Amino acid sequence: MSHSILDVQHISKTVNTAAGPLCILQDICFSVDRGDSVAIVGASGSGKSTLLGILAGLDQASSGDVLLDGNSLAQLDEEGRAALRAKLVGFVFQSFQLLPGLSALENVMLPLELHGRSDAQQKAEQFLQRVGLEQRLAHYPQQLSGGEQQRVAIARAFASEPSILFADEPTGNLDSANGAKIIELLFELNQEQGTTLILVTHEQRLAQRCQQRIELEAGALLNNSDTQAQEPQPC
């Protein structure tokens, strides 16, 4: 069995604009071993969130392929990609993405129930306790602070025990103290569950904790030993 849970093979993304084709990503290649942590970094507009969406099967590349646990995303239709995400993937979004009409407990239970888990409530309570929110089970998102909402989102993502977790700026809406707590929590759960972490972040202290750093500049992959991106290629 391959050690890699993610193989990124010559990914490019081009969109059509009024001014002509625009290259968002150019020939991106890398692999990630199971259980590793990876930071995707770069300036705003460098293509980080687009790349994350393609890696997770939420968006499609113009060319190239992503192998997610050996499954070719390019060969799957949207239904197939959704089924693979349900089986393997967890998400943590910068904007939390909690359902306002559900309590913290219900927000964490919902994806477990959708997966047919008979132990959904027990598992949800376990992970909310794990993130320090056992006193907040019945609280609704609007009754929680930003840091508490992000902890609910992390509990929801890890409760389904994904093989790989994608997080888009997980500390972006948090103050420094709460951001530090979220970073510790992500890496504790990464270690305990062996979950692979793929994080888009502007935050140096988060990027420095990761075992691998993927740096983008103008849609191209920076070689870690280089100071300049690959020369942009024409589309």
Side-chain angles (χ1 to χ4, degrees):
M1 179 182 289
S2 169
H3 290 294
S4 297
I5 192 169
L6 192 70
D7 284 300
V8 183
Q9 303 175 344
H10 302 285
I11 286 295
S12 294
K13 177 73 173 181
T14 304
V15 296
N16 292 317
T17 71
L22 174 65
C23 291
I24 299 176
L25 295 171
Q26 304 175 44
D27 197 30
I28 305 295
C29 297
F30 62 92
S31 63
V32 179
D33 287 345
R34 297 173 194 279
D36 274 3
S37 53
V38 179
I40 300 174
V41 300
S44 295
S46 59
K48 302 186 302 298
S49 291
T50 299
L51 177 59
L52 194 75
I54 290 171
L55 300 183
L58 294 169
D59 192 6
Q60 290 181 279
S62 301
S63 61
D65 197 3
V66 174
L67 300 183
L68 183 55
D69 200 24
N71 299 276
S72 166
L73 296 185
Q75 295 181 13
L76 294 173
D77 59 14
E78 176 51 44
E79 187 176 334
R81 291 194 301 274
L84 191 63
R85 286 195 301 272
K87 178 182 175 185
L88 296 175
V89 171
F91 293 96
V92 177
F93 298 96
Q94 181 177 352
S95 55
F96 316 136
Q97 299 282 4
L98 301 178
L99 294 172
L102 298 182
S103 67
L105 180 61
E106 291 164 341
N107 263 287
V108 179
M109 285 176 61
L110 181 60
L112 297 170
E113 291 174 329
L114 292 174
H115 291 163
R117 294 283 296 260
S118 59
D119 61 345
Q121 182 170 342
Q122 178 186 355
K123 184 70 70 174
E125 289 176 351
Q126 173 190 334
F127 274 86
L128 284 165
Q129 181 175 7
R130 181 68 189 78
V131 301
L133 292 177
E134 61 271 17
Q135 305 301 321
R136 295 284 193 269
L137 301 185
H139 287 63
Y140 290 88
Q142 66 269 25
Q143 298 172 308
L144 300 172
S145 69
E148 288 171 334
Q149 289 185 62
Q150 190 63 301
R151 281 188 275 162
V152 174
I154 288 173
R156 178 181 60 188
F158 276 100
S160 58
E161 298 174 341
S163 298
I164 187 166
L165 185 137
F166 295 95
D168 193 359
E169 298 284 4
T171 59
N173 280 332
L174 304 177
D175 61 40
S176 182
N178 276 311
K181 291 176 184 175
I182 294 304
I183 290 170
E184 289 304 317
L185 189 55
L186 283 169
F187 285 95
E188 283 175 18
L189 290 167
N190 159 251
Q191 291 296 313
E192 289 174 14
Q193 293 187 222
T195 304
T196 306
L197 294 181
I198 311 289
L199 312 172
V200 163
T201 185
H202 282 99
E203 190 162 353
Q204 283 301 314
R205 59 181 173 169
L206 179 50
Q208 288 167 356
R209 289 285 297 272
C210 292
Q211 293 160 297
Q212 188 175 351
R213 182 183 174 105
I214 303 296
E215 187 163 5
L216 297 179
E217 185 176 295
L221 188 63
L222 267 175
N223 190 325
N224 286 342
S225 61
D226 292 343
T227 56
Q228 294 187 349
Q230 303 163 12
E231 195 67 27
Q233 300 298 312
C235 292

